[in-house]
Amino acid sequence: MPKLSHYDRSGRARMVDISAKAATTREAQATAFVAMTPTVLNALSANPKGDPFETARLAGIMAAKKTAELIPLCHPLQLSHIDVELMQCENGIAISTSAKTTAETGVEMEALVAASVAALTIYDMCKALDKGIEIREIVLEKKSGGKSGEYIRKK
């Protein structure tokens, strides 16, 4: 089993030294799902706080750019692209994110943070109608680039 890279020999958390790694193109995709009742779904377009989709999309983009400030051992990255898409489904909102950079380390956390914050924003925009809204299935779907190569989630 591979060792966890964010711990030193003493078991203390540490930031991984990436200075010897080559900068390569790195991409990642993540998803999240916000489950809600038909009543809440039907009220989305009349939300007095504004458009939940556009607000969540922008929140996800902004969050991805601040990942290193939120996750203690993440390296700050210069993102070349971040995209957040939201789609209304029969039983909730499906969120899909993608992140891209050319760097010494990957963008998985940026894609996951974007999906998470977009989902939290949907919750915030709709919680007045139902506190029972559920955020589910925040997952890394795919990543490419770097030493470990490509990863595609098995479904």
Side-chain angles (χ1 to χ4, degrees):
M1 181 168 186
K3 67 178 183 132
L4 295 172
S5 59
H6 285 84
Y7 293 96
D8 67 14
R9 290 181 184 160
S10 304
R12 294 181 312 169
R14 68 176 179 104
M15 185 177 232
V16 175
D17 182 357
I18 60 171
S19 61
K21 295 171 91 177
T24 61
T25 300
R26 320 272 185 140
E27 297 182 63
Q29 296 174 0
T31 57
F33 189 76
V34 183
M36 55 183 66
T37 65
T39 302
V40 177
L41 284 168
N42 291 333
L44 288 174
S45 62
N47 193 312
K49 290 185 172 184
D51 180 357
F53 289 88
E54 188 62 9
T55 304
R57 189 181 73 77
L58 290 173
I61 291 169
M62 292 171 64
K65 296 185 330 183
K66 295 192 170 282
T67 298
E69 295 174 34
L70 298 169
I71 309 295
L73 302 175
C74 279
H75 293 85
L77 294 177
Q78 181 72 37
L79 295 175
S80 53
H81 183 71
I82 181 74
D83 187 39
V84 177
E85 295 181 12
L86 296 96
M87 184 175 77
Q88 185 169 332
C89 303
E90 179 180 310
N91 58 342
I93 308 296
I95 300 167
S96 176
T97 67
S98 62
K100 185 175 183 179
T101 191
T102 300
E104 297 82 5
T105 191
V107 290
E108 297 95 291
M109 294 307 300
E110 286 72 12
L112 286 161
V113 166
S116 300
V117 171
L120 287 165
T121 301
I122 290 291
Y123 183 94
D124 181 55
M125 297 286 290
C126 301
K127 68 185 179 198
L129 295 174
D130 182 9
K131 304 284 191 279
I133 295 168
E134 295 179 3
I135 297 172
R136 301 181 182 165
E137 303 164 17
I138 299 168
V139 296
L140 179 67
E141 296 289 348
K142 183 177 175 181
K143 79 99 183 160
S144 64
K147 182 175 71 172
S148 64
E150 186 172 72
Y151 164 81
I152 299 174
R153 179 174 174 248
K154 294 177 182 156
K155 297 186 182 196

